[in-house]
C-alpha cells in the first residue's frame, strides 16, 4: 500500500506546481492574491508562495470563492457590454 499522507501531499504539490506555471506565464506584477476554492487550502497556498518566491496577499475574512465568483460576474458583464 501507499502512505495516504504522502499521496495527498503529492497531489497538493502537483496542484501548486500547475498554478505556479500558469501564474508565471500570465506574469505577476505587484501584489497577488489567490482566489477560488483551492485558496482555502493552506498547504497549496504555502507551496505556491514558495514556488513563486512571493507572499500572497491575505484577503482577511473575505471568502476566496466569493471573490472568484465576483470576478467572473464582472468579466461577464464587461464582455456583454
Amino acid at each position: 500500500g501507499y502512505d495516504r499522507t504522502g499521496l495527498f501531499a503529492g497531489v497538493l504539490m502537483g496542484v501548486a506546481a500547475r498554478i505556479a506555471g500558469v501564474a508565471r506565464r500570465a506574469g505577476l506584477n505587484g501584489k497577488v492574491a489567490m482566489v477560488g476554492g483551492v485558496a482555502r487550502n493552506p498547504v497549496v497556498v504555502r507551496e505556491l508562495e514558495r514556488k513563486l518566491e512571493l507572499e500572497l496577499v491575505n484577503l482577511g475574512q473575505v471568502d476566496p470563492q466569493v471573490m472568484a465568483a465576483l470576478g467572473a460576474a464582472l468579466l461577464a458583464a464587461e464582455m456583454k457590454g
Side-chain angles (χ1 to χ4, degrees):
Y2 294 98
D3 171 37
R4 289 182 189 179
T5 303
L7 251 163
F8 188 62
V11 169
L12 294 178
M13 297 304 138
V15 168
R18 175 155 311 243
I19 294 169
V22 170
R24 280 192 203 98
R25 285 191 298 281
L28 302 176
N29 295 316
K31 295 181 179 182
V32 178
M34 186 173 175
V35 298
V38 78
R40 299 177 97 174
N41 187 308
V43 174
V44 174
V45 171
R46 206 168 33 250
E47 183 65 11
L48 187 58
E49 288 177 328
R50 188 184 71 75
K51 288 184 176 303
L52 295 175
E53 298 177 344
L54 57 78
E55 184 177 342
L56 295 170
V57 173
N58 183 340
L59 296 175
Q61 297 298 316
V62 176
D63 185 335
Q65 288 177 286
V66 171
M67 290 303 295
L70 178 60
L74 291 172
L75 182 58
E78 185 178 298
M79 291 175 72
K80 187 175 179 182

